[in-house]
Amino acid sequence: MPTEKKISSASDCINSMIEGSELKKIRSNSRVYHRYFLLDADMQSLRWDPSKKESDKAKIDITSIKEVRTGRNTEMFRTNAIYDHISEDCAFSIIYGENYESLDLVANSADVANIWVTGLRYLISYGKHTLDMIVSSHNNMRASWLSSVFATADTKDVGYISFSRAVQLIKSLNSGLKNTKIELKFKELHKAKGKTGTDVIKEELIEVYHELCTRPEIYFLLVQFSSNKEFLDTKDLMMFLEAEQGMPHVTEQVSMNIIQKYEPSKEGQEKGWLSLDGFTKYLISPECHIFDPEHKKVCQDMTQPVSHYYINASHNTYLIEDQFRGPSDITGYIRALKMGCRSIEVDAWDGPDNEPIIYTGHTMTSQIVFHRVIDVINKYAFVASEYPLILCLENHCSVKQQKVMIQHMKKTLGDKLYTEPPTVEDSYLPSPEVLKYKILLKAKKLPENCTGLEGDITDEDEGAEMSQKTTGENADQQNVAPKRFLLCKELSDMVSLCKSVLFKDFTESLQNQKFWEFCSFNEVIASRLANEYPKDFVNYNKRFLARIYPNPMRIDSSNMNPQDFWKCGCQVVAMNYQTPGLMMDLNIGWFRQNGNCGYVLRPAIMREEVSYFSANTKDSVPGVSPQLLHIKIISGQNFPKPKGSGSKGDVVDPYVYVEIHGIPADCAEQRTKTVNQNGENPIFDESFEFQINLPELAMVRFVVLDDDYIGDEFIAQYTIPFECLQPGYRHVPLQSLTGEVLPFASLFVHVAITNRRGGGKPHKRGLSVRKAKKSREYASMRTILIKSIDEVFKTVVQQLREATDLRENMQIAIVSFKELCGVSPVSNLIQCFMALSTLLNSDNIPIVVLNLKDDYPSMEPQGMIPDVLKKVVTAYEVMIQTTKALLENGDGVSEKIMQCQRTAMEFHENLHNIGVKEGLKGRKLHKAVESFTWNITILKGQADLLKHAKIEALDNLKQIHYAAVSCGLNKPGTGNAESSKTRRSLEAIPEKENVDIGAGDRAAEFHQNTTTEKSIKATK
């Protein structure tokens, strides 16, 4: 089927259907038939060939079609053994006849499927008036707009403009196009017409614009919401924003403001219509970027102890190249501080003329004068963030030059230096909020009993470690005898909340370490601790700060993976800012999520005093609801040629990797197919699904590569925390290897997030989510072997089962209802009713209505209805009943669970002693403490899951109400009278989704300001 022509109208779709295309016809028992389908020239019937049927039977009358359904969303698809081998984006079904039979088809590409779905829906809507509608609406708004643009450029009113002016004009309308591409297109057009001159007339300008600037994937999206018009009116746009983009509280005025801002044609602005060009302009605007603008400012609780945050940190900040011979420069500090870094390093040594210098000792790196660095720190410390800056001072100076350092710091930094001694009665460090605009000195400190002006202490020397490693000496952090040096008491007294101490082991630290004492770990040692003692490392970091610095063998300034240590709760992972690549992408992307202020609140399960979490978990996290992330890579725009690639000229063969970074259970990657020789507007149309077990620690990275037989080359990337994803259709602004935004380069994607059980694409033809109660997984309590405590936990076993049943009964009912609505499980309930509206209306008269009078809307048939609709009504009633059961019983069950948790926590402080009295010791005692922590985590988690399921249930009821009114399905006299005017029926929409925090995702605690915003991430 020819698809070279850019599809931008129903006329294009119908012409393609009349030419016909090969489609796969799916039947039961995995049978697949290749057939050639085409639309009759009179547009009255759909035919296919070859067929064993007589020619007059191998057809479907357009008038008999009830619905055109996208994706694998019929019983034939779901129960077919080849379900997993069929692309969701290429599949569609035609529901026809009085018995609602389905013709299930698979196209060779998503583009072809979209053409058939769009064309058939247009034919269903307009019937015999289709031709009239096509003639009257074909690209009118675009033509009138471009005509006015041409008229403005044709200053002499001669009917043509110069070649260079035409190129400039197209470029001004689409800045991402290259001049050479525009020039070539005009030359091709003139050559095809046999034209000798170079002047450009209006029709030629319109034709070239159409060929170069039309994005068919956006046209197919527009017609899904436009009631089969060639534009979106204010109500259409409202539905798109609410149902697809997750924007709450949308009004017609909001829609009108968007139209006024982005619609280029005067006609569209006056009538409140958004054309394809206006819609495209809106979708590529920052308003539709993938990054949630709420996270561009500080949006997390900043009043918790500093140890509860990840802190953006730099390693050997003064170095701008490698670690052994590279230059030192103050620009390293300027760059890091401007990027929001909140922990920087100063490696101070004695210098000439009694002026301390900064460089890496025992190496050949160049040197900077200490006072210049302090001046720069003073100037840039709080340019990017107002929150505290940790100055890691590795002091190797004599007492004499230490006093010079003191003078420079006191004179230059003054009151910014935080020197107040810690309050011994406290258990945790102060909060970032309390420490705003303060610089905390991290360094060695003299013992409290030192009374002299100086004292002897152990040295910290990371440079010596590197020197020993590179010369082959044994430099194991725990085996090298530490050197000693004299420390000036005045410098010691300047260290308050970040006293550098050596780490021995977790037992020693948990018993004796003070909350203001700060350990640094070599990457190798930290990795060993993370692998051997993952739970202990997490518990250690609940109270104490841990700084991880790179392996001294990284003399090339390469970076470790920060996620390896964030998963253990390590707060300060020092990165070599001068080295771009995956690891710095993760670091930069991670700290964007809280206004780039350099502090990110760690997951709740890593902060709570009693919680069970292992950094190396390869399964779901106790008490945290896994989320399903659905990402569809639709298209790319304006990919640059990889730097340094000369062998292929300007040719780019792009493909996209989607990577998930997080705890081991979440790490995954998927890739699209390669699109050959198209870096300007490649169409991928591929969907992926990832299970995210700890959303608060997950990141998504999009990487665009050039497929080359010699070695695939990097084109662009974008890294974003899971918590910052916006749902719906979004553009991803791509960045270069060094982090700069690439002008006009982007990916167009669709993002949906669903609860693991409540929605999400069901595995194995939808059967896995339909678990019988007998096989249902219930949260279990562990036995502690302390009778009094075990009795407490036994009292809540029944409530835990009830909590699971309440949640899962509702979720399974929702999945069943979605299946019968013929939509993807990713869809939300608004989209369910949009799909149903064609079936529930007969000649614009609803045959089933929703009575919105009561809290729980009921579905009322208006007379006899077909069996297929009876099943829908039954499934809806089950969904409402399970929702009602959860809302009416959930609070009581949750309170009993929390009461058990409160009672059990009364044993917490004396748990060790109680265990000893019960005769537990050694491994059994350790196991009892671990089991107690597990049970408390389960209780908290199950209560949270129930609480968030209630939020989801309330939001579902709101969606039902909104959808019923918007689609004209509400019973007269119920619902909002103002907005209940019957709306033209809307068709089923593929892969759309209401993004909610899911039942019990504790990771979303900072996005729960309003009921709607809890379940639909808002676009402000």
Side-chain angles (χ1 to χ4, degrees):
M1 173 175 179
T3 56
E4 290 82 1
K5 189 178 190 318
K6 293 287 183 74
I7 302 294
S8 67
S9 68
S11 173
D12 296 335
C13 294
I14 288 171
N15 286 334
S16 293
M17 291 163 62
I18 290 172
E19 290 181 28
S21 57
E22 185 180 278
L23 303 173
K24 298 185 191 77
K25 183 179 174 186
I26 308 299
R27 304 299 292 164
S28 58
N29 299 325
S30 306
R31 290 175 295 163
V32 179
Y33 301 102
H34 294 260
R35 298 288 182 259
Y36 197 81
F37 284 77
L38 67 155
L39 179 68
D40 276 353
D42 62 4
M43 298 185 291
Q44 297 301 305
S45 58
L46 172 67
R47 296 182 181 273
W48 59 91
D49 186 69
S51 174
K52 293 179 181 178
K53 298 179 180 179
E54 296 176 18
S55 59
D56 62 331
K57 291 185 179 179
K59 71 171 188 175
I60 294 176
D61 291 335
I62 298 298
T63 54
S64 72
I65 298 177
K66 306 291 185 183
E67 178 192 357
V68 181
R69 188 175 293 183
T70 58
R72 301 165 296 177
N73 293 309
T74 62
E75 194 66 21
M76 179 66 70
F77 274 127
R78 289 193 195 99
T79 58
N80 208 299
I82 61 171
Y83 175 90
D84 291 329
H85 303 288
I86 298 171
S87 166
E88 176 79 11
D89 306 302
C90 297
F92 66 100
S93 301
I94 299 170
I95 313 299
Y96 67 98
E98 293 304 315
N99 296 321
Y100 292 79
E101 297 173 66
S102 70
L103 175 62
D104 301 289
L105 304 169
V106 180
N108 292 326
S109 71
D111 255 3
V112 173
N114 282 327
I115 286 169
W116 279 92
V117 169
T118 302
L120 287 170
R121 286 177 175 174
Y122 206 93
L123 289 166
I124 295 168
S125 291
Y126 296 112
K128 62 185 179 182
H129 303 296
T130 298
L131 275 176
D132 298 334
M133 292 300 300
I134 289 174
V135 170
S136 67
S137 66
H138 180 51
N139 283 334
N140 271 351
M141 291 170 70
R142 173 180 280 183
S144 63
W145 163 55
L146 289 175
S147 295
S148 66
V149 170
F150 183 89
T152 303
D154 181 15
T155 52
K156 296 180 181 178
D157 198 21
V158 290
Y160 60 85
I161 57 177
S162 69
F163 185 84
S164 60
R165 181 72 179 112
V167 171
Q168 184 185 2
L169 210 55
I170 297 289
K171 176 80 172 176
S172 70
L173 299 176
N174 188 340
S175 303
L177 288 172
K178 296 176 182 175
N179 281 8
T180 52
K181 179 78 173 178
I182 305 170
E183 290 168 3
L184 181 63
K185 187 58 70 175
F186 273 118
K187 288 175 182 177
E188 287 175 352
L189 180 62
H190 285 171
K191 184 178 179 180
K193 291 183 173 182
K195 185 175 179 179
T196 54
T198 59
D199 291 334
V200 175
I201 62 174
K202 178 181 71 175
E203 289 73 19
E204 292 169 343
L205 181 88
I206 293 173
E207 188 170 344
V208 168
Y209 178 89
H210 177 82
E211 286 301 309
L212 293 179
C213 303
T214 297
R215 289 181 54 185
E217 73 273 27
I218 293 182
Y219 169 72
F220 291 132
L221 174 60
L222 180 144
V223 295
Q224 288 171 18
F225 285 89
S226 69
S227 307
N228 301 304
K229 305 183 302 296
E230 302 292 301
F231 57 84
L232 297 170
D233 60 28
T234 53
K235 283 189 168 60
D236 298 327
L237 186 54
M238 279 175 66
M239 183 64 84
F240 172 74
L241 296 173
E242 283 264 13
E244 191 48 66
Q245 304 297 84
M247 185 189 291
H249 318 306
V250 181
T251 62
E252 283 199 60
Q253 187 57 52
V254 170
S255 291
M256 183 58 81
N257 292 344
I258 289 172
I259 292 169
Q260 294 297 323
K261 186 174 180 179
Y262 295 103
E263 173 53 42
S265 73
K266 189 168 287 186
E267 178 188 7
Q269 291 177 7
E270 289 172 352
K271 295 181 177 178
W273 294 349
L274 191 64
S275 67
L276 173 59
D277 297 300
F279 193 41
T280 302
K281 194 175 175 185
Y282 171 61
L283 286 173
I284 63 175
S285 74
E287 290 188 48
C288 290
H289 278 185
I290 194 169
F291 191 91
D292 187 342
E294 285 296 297
H295 290 270
K296 290 184 178 180
K297 57 181 183 290
V298 176
C299 57
Q300 295 178 346
D301 177 10
M302 301 303 290
T303 63
Q304 300 204 31
V306 165
S307 59
H308 285 183
Y309 298 84
Y310 296 113
I311 302 172
N312 198 352
S314 162
H315 172 245
N316 287 352
T317 316
Y318 47 87
L319 293 178
I320 56 173
E321 290 182 16
D322 69 79
Q323 301 288 308
F324 199 72
R325 295 183 177 85
S328 303
D329 198 281
I330 58 170
T331 57
Y333 290 96
I334 295 171
R335 174 183 56 202
L337 291 169
K338 280 187 170 181
M339 291 173 70
C341 184
R342 294 290 84 195
S343 173
I344 56 176
E345 293 187 31
V346 174
D347 201 344
W349 297 79
D350 280 356
D353 303 322
N354 200 34
E355 277 292 341
I357 55 174
I358 291 173
Y359 81 111
T360 304
H362 317 285
T363 69
M364 291 179 277
T365 57
S366 63
Q367 304 165 354
I368 325 174
V369 180
F370 180 83
H371 72 79
R372 286 190 64 204
V373 172
I374 296 302
D375 287 341
V376 166
I377 292 171
N378 182 58
K379 182 176 180 180
Y380 291 96
F382 301 106
V383 166
S385 172
E386 60 190 357
Y387 293 102
L389 174 68
I390 299 173
L391 178 56
C392 300
L393 175 61
E394 199 173 301
N395 172 25
H396 310 286
C397 292
S398 63
V399 171
K400 183 179 179 182
Q401 293 209 13
Q402 287 178 36
K403 291 179 178 178
V404 177
M405 285 199 297
I406 294 166
Q407 289 173 0
H408 287 316
M409 286 192 288
K410 285 190 171 180
K411 179 181 177 182
T412 305
L413 303 178
D415 291 342
K416 291 176 185 172
L417 274 172
Y418 187 90
T419 57
E420 296 177 23
T423 306
V424 180
E425 292 78 20
D426 291 342
S427 300
Y428 291 93
L429 290 165
S431 70
E433 187 68 30
V434 168
L435 297 171
K436 272 184 180 178
Y437 300 108
K438 292 297 180 183
I439 296 175
L440 311 179
L441 197 61
K442 175 194 178 290
K444 286 288 186 175
K445 195 170 174 65
L446 292 171
E448 293 179 12
N449 58 6
C450 179
T451 56
L453 296 177
E454 56 197 49
D456 180 63
I457 61 166
T458 56
D459 190 10
E460 272 188 307
D461 195 347
E462 294 171 19
E465 279 188 67
M466 181 168 62
S467 177
Q468 290 166 332
K469 286 277 189 183
T470 54
T471 57
E473 297 177 35
N474 181 7
D476 190 298
Q477 181 175 321
Q478 294 186 329
N479 294 333
V480 176
K483 297 178 182 177
R484 302 188 71 81
F485 78 109
L486 287 176
L487 176 63
C488 173
K489 188 172 190 307
E490 189 177 0
L491 181 57
S492 172
D493 290 343
M494 293 173 70
V495 179
S496 170
L497 299 177
C498 296
K499 175 187 175 182
S500 294
V501 297
L502 285 173
F503 176 80
K504 294 180 182 177
D505 57 56
F506 290 121
T507 303
E508 170 73 17
S509 295
L510 292 171
Q511 288 177 0
N512 299 316
Q513 187 173 332
K514 305 294 189 294
F515 67 82
W516 62 83
E517 293 178 334
F518 195 157
C519 292
S520 290
F521 300 82
N522 175 316
E523 171 193 351
V524 177
I525 303 299
S527 294
R528 180 172 61 79
L529 294 172
N531 289 325
E532 295 179 10
Y533 309 101
K535 291 191 285 287
D536 291 335
F537 213 168
V538 171
N539 286 330
Y540 171 86
N541 288 319
K542 290 177 182 178
R543 181 166 297 183
F544 309 116
L545 285 172
R547 171 179 166 269
I548 316 299
Y549 61 91
N551 183 346
M553 289 303 289
R554 294 184 183 274
I555 57 174
D556 60 350
S557 294
S558 60
N559 276 306
M560 54 193 164
N561 187 340
Q563 283 275 9
D564 289 344
F565 306 102
W566 289 338
K567 71 182 183 183
C568 302
C570 298
Q571 301 88 345
V572 185
V573 182
M575 305 292 288
N576 290 311
Y577 268 58
Q578 68 271 39
T579 307
L582 166 61
M583 305 314 172
M584 270 308 291
D585 293 342
L586 294 175
N587 194 75
I588 293 168
W590 181 250
F591 285 101
R592 282 199 192 107
Q593 66 183 288
N594 193 27
N596 205 36
C597 74
Y599 285 81
V600 168
L601 194 63
R602 295 185 307 159
I605 202 163
M606 291 185 182
R607 305 191 314 265
E608 293 163 349
E609 188 176 357
V610 181
S611 60
Y612 183 95
F613 176 71
S614 172
N616 291 335
T617 181
K618 293 182 179 169
D619 203 347
S620 57
V621 179
V624 177
S625 175
Q627 304 288 290
L628 280 177
L629 171 63
H630 312 261
I631 292 181
K632 181 178 181 181
I633 306 294
I634 302 170
S635 63
Q637 294 77 43
N638 306 310
F639 293 161
K641 189 175 71 170
K643 284 190 176 180
S645 64
S647 60
K648 292 167 59 175
D650 287 329
V651 174
V652 177
D653 302 309
Y655 66 93
V656 182
Y657 256 111
V658 183
E659 304 170 349
I660 306 297
H661 297 266
I663 61 173
D666 292 342
C667 292
E669 63 181 26
Q670 301 255 28
R671 65 157 285 180
T672 67
K673 64 181 181 295
T674 298
V675 176
N676 294 320
Q677 301 186 13
N678 188 349
E680 291 163 349
N681 55 355
I683 300 293
F684 299 101
D685 268 327
E686 289 192 60
S687 300
F688 306 117
E689 180 183 288
F690 303 93
Q691 180 164 317
I692 311 295
N693 294 285
L694 187 57
E696 282 180 293
L697 206 56
M699 299 187 74
V700 183
R701 186 170 184 256
F702 301 91
V703 189
V704 184
L705 297 170
D706 183 17
D707 199 340
D708 193 336
Y709 65 92
I710 298 174
D712 296 352
E713 296 187 86
F714 176 90
I715 295 176
Q717 68 84 32
Y718 186 77
T719 308
I720 180 172
F722 179 87
E723 295 285 275
C724 299
L725 291 170
Q726 289 208 94
Y729 286 90
R730 303 290 171 183
H731 276 87
V732 180
L734 295 172
Q735 298 175 345
S736 69
L737 184 65
T738 51
E740 290 90 13
V741 173
L742 295 168
F744 315 116
S746 64
L747 285 172
F748 186 42
V749 303
H750 180 262
V751 177
I753 303 168
T754 57
N755 186 320
R756 172 65 183 87
R757 290 193 184 278
K761 191 162 49 183
H763 298 285
K764 299 295 180 187
R765 305 183 297 283
L767 301 180
S768 68
V769 292
R770 295 179 170 227
K771 291 189 176 181
K773 285 191 178 183
K774 289 182 181 177
S775 63
R776 184 169 288 174
E777 296 174 6
Y778 292 99
S780 59
M781 294 282 99
R782 292 183 178 177
T783 302
I784 296 170
L785 299 179
I786 300 175
K787 186 176 180 182
S788 56
I789 302 178
D790 283 331
E791 289 298 326
V792 171
F793 287 126
K794 283 180 183 176
T795 62
V796 80
V797 169
Q798 181 59 36
Q799 280 71 36
L800 290 176
R801 293 180 68 87
E802 288 178 21
T804 301
D805 287 341
L806 286 171
R807 287 187 293 104
E808 298 215 359
N809 289 347
M810 181 183 76
Q811 299 295 355
I812 290 170
I814 291 171
V815 170
S816 298
F817 179 66
K818 288 178 180 179
E819 286 182 358
L820 288 168
C821 290
V823 298
S824 161
V826 182
S827 302
N828 59 35
L829 291 182
I830 295 176
Q831 291 155 349
C832 286
F833 283 97
M834 290 171 67
L836 274 180
S837 60
T838 56
L839 297 178
L840 300 184
N841 277 288
S842 178
D843 297 326
N844 280 331
I845 300 172
I847 56 176
V848 176
V849 297
L850 282 151
N851 188 337
L852 305 179
K853 184 178 180 181
D854 299 323
D855 292 339
Y856 301 97
S858 57
M859 198 176 262
E860 300 177 356
Q862 305 296 290
M864 293 293 293
I865 58 174
D867 287 344
V868 66
L869 289 186
K870 288 179 182 177
K871 292 179 181 178
V872 171
V873 172
T874 301
Y876 175 83
E877 289 172 352
V878 173
M879 181 177 71
I880 290 297
Q881 288 165 6
T882 55
T883 298
K884 183 178 181 181
L886 187 144
L887 289 174
E888 294 184 353
N889 301 314
D891 285 345
V893 173
S894 180
E895 176 53 36
K896 288 178 182 177
I897 292 173
M898 291 309 296
Q899 179 58 48
C900 176
Q901 186 255 327
R902 288 190 292 268
T903 304
M905 281 299 291
E906 294 174 5
F907 295 96
H908 174 242
E909 287 191 13
N910 296 315
L911 183 60
H912 189 275
N913 294 335
I914 297 171
V916 172
K917 286 181 181 178
E918 290 283 329
L920 300 180
K921 57 184 178 181
R923 189 172 179 179
K924 285 189 176 180
L925 181 59
H926 176 79
K927 190 70 177 175
V929 173
E930 185 179 281
S931 296
F932 179 87
T933 303
W934 167 276
N935 289 354
I936 292 295
T937 304
I938 290 294
L939 292 176
K940 287 181 180 177
Q942 290 299 312
D944 283 347
L945 290 170
L946 205 50
K947 179 178 72 175
H948 295 302
K950 179 180 177 181
I951 291 168
E952 182 185 355
L954 289 170
D955 186 71
N956 285 341
L957 292 175
K958 287 185 178 182
Q959 287 189 51
I960 293 169
H961 192 284
Y962 175 84
V965 172
S966 297
C967 297
L969 296 174
N970 57 308
K971 184 176 182 179
T974 70
N976 187 324
E978 178 62 29
S979 59
S980 63
K981 297 172 184 175
T982 301
R983 178 183 162 79
R984 289 179 300 276
S985 74
L986 292 165
E987 309 294 343
I989 300 196
E991 292 218 77
K992 310 281 195 314
E993 197 270 339
N994 168 35
V995 175
D996 60 60
I997 58 173
D1001 179 6
R1002 299 156 76 209
E1005 64 182 280
F1006 294 107
H1007 304 298
Q1008 297 168 9
N1009 300 321
T1010 68
T1011 298
T1012 304
E1013 285 166 348
K1014 288 170 187 174
S1015 55
I1016 302 180
K1017 289 182 92 175
T1019 308
K1020 297 292 180 187

